[in-house]
Amino acid sequence: MKKLTYKDAGVDLELYNKAMEKIPGLLARTFTPRVIPLPGGFAGLFQLDFDCPIFARRYRNPVLVACSDGVGTKLKVASMLRRHDTVGIDLVAMNVNDALCCGAEPLFFLDYIALPKDDPEWLHAILSGIVKGCQMAHCALLGGETAILPDTYQPGDYDLAGFCVGVVEREDLITGSLITPGDLVIGLASSGLHSNGYSLARKVVFEHAGLSVFDFVPELGETVGEALLRPTTIYVAAVRSVLRYYRVKTVIHGIAHVTGGGIFDNLRRILPTSVDIVLKRNSWPIPPVFTWLQRLGEIDEGEMFRVFNMGIGLILVASAYYADSIRHQLAQRGIQSWIIGQAHAGTGQVHWGQ
């Protein structure tokens, strides 16, 4: 009788170790002076402040901010294209953009990668995207976990989860509680679908319309796969730059990351119960990918706004006096924005204006 091995069960330890050998070098690309090396350790080490006086943060009353999120069924599109080097950016973005809503500086990131089999090239592609995302967000990829689960995932399927820890001074914490009538709502452009609504998008495109990821869409000027796989925008550098610019006054009163639930539900999450947000129709251009999906699937407008970001990936609610200055600074950082609404006395609701 043959003696069974782990490899017979679907896990090749030699191949796994080969994949693991490349990971420390990838992680090191994201390390900051606050990362404490611990080769072969069971955890990652990160000091909250610098030892060097020149770079010391000198926190007075720091608050740690923690987030966790995944990429979702956008991974199915990556598998169809056999391209896995961009979804890591999405993974980082979905977490660091959430931390940013509290005004936090992302410090470090951890990942969880679950694959159906050992595949060093596949793992390297995923990690290269995560590394790029961390570099864009100015945070360290401190470590993570790679799980080989042959009986859980079918060939080609996989899952990603991420975990971000950031820090903000308590006096600079942004919760939405300072939003007052008269504040303006600034919508920051998304790059496309980001990482939400893909269950509906895939059903519309692949099942209902019968398209493939390789089909060219004239109205988009690109293939289906290119449109659907475009990475989520990471807003950290641009928005943190704005926050640092106003060191004395608090001019941004609320930040909402537009993910599942769309503009309306995510704005409601940060509103005081005494304030409404009235959005202005046609105040920003809806990217063609959304109108294309709506037409393909004959989707109601209300459903589109509940499921997708509709071209607005992050929202700042700010003092009206500083709105133009904020938008100018965002533009200098390559982020397009629009005034899409205003705060009024109300009951914590978000609705269209007349």
Side-chain angles (χ1 to χ4, degrees):
M1 182 180 294
K2 179 184 177 182
K3 294 182 179 181
L4 293 178
T5 66
Y6 210 3
K7 187 174 182 179
D8 294 325
V11 181
D12 187 332
L13 287 177
E14 290 185 6
L15 201 58
Y16 179 83
N17 290 331
K18 181 180 178 181
M20 294 301 104
E21 288 174 359
K22 298 181 179 180
I23 290 180
L26 285 171
L27 268 60
R29 297 179 190 176
T30 71
F31 284 0
T32 69
R34 285 187 278 183
V35 175
I36 300 174
L38 186 64
F42 290 92
L45 304 180
F46 192 96
Q47 56 187 23
L48 191 57
D49 213 333
F50 289 97
D51 290 331
C52 177
I54 298 176
F55 300 106
R57 290 293 199 272
R58 297 187 177 89
Y59 295 109
R60 298 179 302 278
N61 195 7
V63 174
L64 294 180
V65 177
C67 304
S68 178
D69 208 341
V71 178
T73 61
K74 187 172 187 174
L75 296 176
K76 289 283 192 180
V77 180
S79 291
M80 290 177 179
L81 281 168
R82 294 187 177 88
R83 181 177 179 184
H84 308 286
D85 61 342
T86 64
V87 287
I89 298 174
D90 292 289
L91 181 65
V92 175
M94 297 306 290
N95 283 275
V96 297
N97 287 344
D98 277 355
L100 184 61
C101 291
C102 295
E105 169 201 2
L107 296 176
F108 58 84
F109 189 83
L110 302 170
D111 63 57
Y112 172 79
I113 303 173
L115 302 173
K117 65 175 183 176
D118 300 284
D119 190 322
E121 290 186 8
W122 191 0
L123 178 60
H124 187 275
I126 294 169
L127 277 170
S128 68
I130 297 175
V131 166
K132 186 173 182 179
C134 286
Q135 290 173 325
M136 295 165 68
H138 301 162
C139 68
L141 179 56
L142 200 57
E145 168 68 5
T146 301
I148 307 301
L149 307 173
D151 296 325
T152 303
Y153 298 101
Q154 296 301 311
D157 287 343
Y158 64 111
D159 201 9
L160 303 179
F163 314 88
C164 173
V165 172
V167 66
V168 61
E169 292 282 7
R170 181 177 288 275
E171 64 182 32
D172 298 326
L173 188 63
I174 298 173
T175 64
S177 62
L178 298 181
I179 296 174
T180 56
D183 284 350
L184 292 181
V185 182
I186 304 172
L188 280 60
S190 71
S191 59
L193 272 65
H194 282 186
S195 298
N196 297 102
Y198 274 81
S199 294
L200 177 57
R202 289 185 304 107
K203 188 172 186 65
V204 167
V205 174
F206 304 124
E207 292 185 29
H208 184 71
L211 298 174
S212 84
V213 288
F214 304 106
D215 287 331
F216 184 80
V217 183
E219 64 189 278
L220 302 182
E222 59 187 349
T223 66
V224 169
E226 288 169 335
L228 297 185
L229 202 60
R230 183 166 290 110
T232 303
T233 302
I234 292 177
Y235 298 99
V236 172
V239 174
R240 286 284 303 163
S241 176
V242 172
L243 292 173
R244 288 193 299 268
Y245 184 81
Y246 300 101
R247 294 186 178 277
V248 178
K249 296 179 179 294
T250 301
V251 304
I252 296 179
H253 300 155
I255 304 178
H257 185 199
V258 183
T259 55
I263 293 171
F264 289 80
D265 283 357
N266 286 287
L267 260 178
R268 287 190 192 101
R269 294 171 63 177
I270 65 169
L271 282 183
T273 56
S274 60
V275 178
D276 279 2
I277 292 292
V278 178
L279 297 173
K280 183 180 178 182
R281 288 186 181 274
N282 304 315
S283 55
W284 75 92
I286 305 294
V289 67
F290 297 106
T291 53
W292 170 66
L293 281 173
Q294 184 175 10
R295 177 180 57 78
L296 276 185
E298 300 179 88
I299 306 171
D300 290 339
E301 182 185 74
E303 184 71 359
M304 290 294 296
F305 274 90
R306 275 190 293 269
V307 176
F308 302 110
N309 66 59
M310 300 304 285
I312 300 296
L314 194 78
I315 293 174
L316 311 180
V317 183
S319 170
Y321 182 82
Y322 296 97
D324 287 341
S325 173
I326 291 170
R327 293 188 60 215
H328 176 71
Q329 292 178 65
L330 291 171
Q332 289 183 318
R333 288 278 186 162
I335 303 292
Q336 192 173 12
S337 65
W338 305 270
I339 303 296
I340 65 171
Q342 189 168 21
H344 297 266
T347 58
Q349 301 303 309
V350 181
H351 52 85
W352 291 117
Q354 299 299 322

